[in-house]
Amino acid sequence: MSKINDRSKDIGKFIPQADDDTIICRCEEVTKGEIRQAIHAGMFTLQEVRKYLRTGMGLCQGQTCGKLVKKIISQELGVSPLELESAVSRAPMRPIEMKVLGNERKG
């Protein structure tokens, strides 16, 4: 069984660190401490942390914080970052005018 999927593994108590106030995800203003607390609460995958804290769901779509979040999770779990699955990527959504959808033409 993978170390990541083994939820019975004791990763220890959450112990605050001096740099826990560092903002990791600038778009959603998520700190390193919040990510670490989520991991100690049982969220062991990028997808779980993303759904809980919205890391990587802001304007940059994880381009800025994705690798940092992955590193924090791997350090807290004591596994290689290569063992973590990548978060699911989705195409960015943008507003579109109704005339484009209706294929309307002027005049």
Side-chain angles (χ1 to χ4, degrees):
M1 181 180 275
S2 172
K3 293 178 186 177
I4 295 152
N5 293 328
D6 184 8
R7 304 290 174 156
S8 66
K9 178 185 174 189
D10 183 19
I11 60 172
K13 283 179 59 176
F14 174 77
I15 300 170
Q17 295 177 349
D19 62 348
D20 277 348
D21 291 335
T22 304
I23 293 181
I24 301 298
C25 178
R26 291 185 275 168
C27 297
E28 297 295 326
E29 297 181 359
V30 179
T31 64
K32 180 180 179 184
E34 291 173 315
I35 295 167
R36 291 182 61 242
Q37 286 176 342
I39 296 163
H40 284 271
M43 288 157 238
F44 289 2
T45 66
L46 281 165
Q47 196 65 24
E48 290 169 340
V49 172
R50 184 179 197 174
K51 286 180 181 178
Y52 182 67
L53 294 174
R54 296 188 45 81
T55 56
M57 295 178 89
L59 188 61
C60 80
Q61 295 292 294
Q63 297 298 312
T64 307
C65 66
K67 289 181 182 177
L68 295 171
V69 173
K70 191 173 193 173
K71 181 180 176 185
I72 293 168
I73 294 171
S74 68
Q75 286 176 339
E76 290 297 313
L77 296 178
V79 298
S80 167
L82 299 173
E83 292 184 52
L84 296 174
E85 285 185 30
S86 297
V88 176
S89 296
R90 294 191 176 95
M93 301 298 290
R94 294 198 170 92
I96 188 166
E97 294 180 11
M98 291 302 291
K99 68 181 178 183
V100 173
L101 293 175
N103 201 17
E104 293 183 18
R105 296 183 181 148
K106 289 185 178 180

